[in-house]
Amino acid sequence: MKDLSYNAVLPFKKLTKRGLCTLEEQLSIIFMGIGFFLSFSASVANALLDFPLWINLPHIINAVVCLLMALFLKKWIVTAALIELFFATFIYFPFIYFTNAGYMGSGLFYFLMVVFWIAYYLDKKTLNFMLVFSLFYYTCLIVFSYKNPEYVIPYPDPVTNVIDVLVAIFAVSISLSAVTGVTFRAYKNEHDKVQDLIFDLNKRNEELKQLSITDQLTGVFNRRHFINKFNHMLELFEETPQSICVFLLDIDHFKHINDQYGHQYGDEILKRVAEVIQETLRPHDLTARYGGEEFITLVTGVNEKDAIEISERIRTGIENMEYRQQKITTVSIGISYSTVNKEMDLMVKEADSNLYQAKNNGRNQVCHGIG
């Protein structure tokens, strides 16, 4: 059986207490509804035309069976529809064929509808077998009726013939329209759900990407991403050289802050220092947490004087930073400046050496070694 379990918009939900939830169930209800409509219409028409009871009885039985299955076999509606499909294919529609003028009447239209429904319900080997067997079966019936016309009951008059054919065309058209509409709506709904899933997946991937490149405590980039971006910029600057400046910052006496005020207080200091650095730099400058209480920044396209001025603004901004209505810490900064492409390790090593010098000189200062 085909996998038709798509969660579509359900126009038939009120037909069952539990509600239909798959395309396959919707198609089953449509099939039952069309079966009931055809059988009920045929029984009414035959009664009005005063046909014998034995001709009308199969229509009445099929209408009742379709109605009862739809109402009381809700949990097994697909299985019930398959049973009805096989019954209609091999018993009910052949009966209609022989009692409605054979190949001159409406039977051929119903044979076409049966093939259409078989193609929807069955799959793979079962579908191929049923299509071949049904076509063979109907071909035999048509040939038999052609060679033995005495077994075929003709229409009582041309008007009845036209009405019956029109009803058959209407039934086939309604069947095609209903199935096509429900299927299209189901696939569209499924497509929308897939698009929503793709959107959510892309959003989550973006969040994961941010988590993978960001220091979770301070919100600045982490060391690994800084190294990757630095190396990428060096590759770009090989074609269009620019000045490169690295600031390496270390919070003064941070261990003492943690020991005296606690690690939550220390975490807050780290966040505030990161905020001051980012507020001082340009949006495209790169800032990362390099170690426990160390931060590193990459500033490009500035001259030596500007580099020193920027680092001093960072230092004084942190020195004047208040937390709980008191100034809380200072930083020491080491600078590495170059107008030619140096390897990242060399620039970081030079900045670290200048940072060490700033620490030895009394902290809360910038050491740059720029001429």
Side-chain angles (χ1 to χ4, degrees), residues 42-60:
S43 64
V44 171
N46 288 344
L48 293 176
L49 294 172
D50 200 23
F51 277 22
L53 180 62
W54 69 271
I55 291 180
N56 206 16
L57 189 60
H59 300 301
I60 298 173

Side-chain angles (χ1 to χ4, degrees), residues 350-368:
E350 183 179 336
D352 187 55
S353 177
N354 287 328
L355 172 62
Y356 183 77
Q357 188 65 40
K359 291 284 189 181
N360 286 340
N361 291 344
R363 295 183 172 84
N364 190 25
Q365 58 186 274
V366 176
C367 185
H368 48 77

Side-chain angles (χ1 to χ4, degrees), residues 230-238 244 341-342 344:
F230 199 138
N231 290 326
H232 179 65
M233 285 187 176
L234 289 178
E235 293 176 1
L236 295 177
F237 292 166
E238 288 180 0
I244 300 175
N341 277 7
K342 282 186 180 180
M344 186 197 73

Side-chain angles (χ1 to χ4, degrees), residues 172-222:
V172 174
S173 301
I174 289 295
S175 178
L176 289 172
S177 300
V179 171
T180 302
V182 171
T183 305
F184 174 77
R185 186 163 51 248
Y187 277 98
K188 182 179 182 302
N189 187 63
E190 189 70 11
H191 176 269
D192 292 342
K193 292 180 72 174
V194 170
Q195 292 301 311
D196 290 341
L197 289 174
I198 292 174
F199 177 81
D200 290 340
L201 181 61
N202 290 336
K203 183 179 179 181
R204 290 179 182 275
N205 285 340
E206 185 62 29
E207 291 172 354
L208 289 174
K209 179 182 176 182
Q210 289 301 316
L211 287 174
S212 69
I213 65 177
T214 304
D215 177 66
Q216 295 185 27
L217 177 63
T218 61
V220 298
F221 292 123
N222 57 31

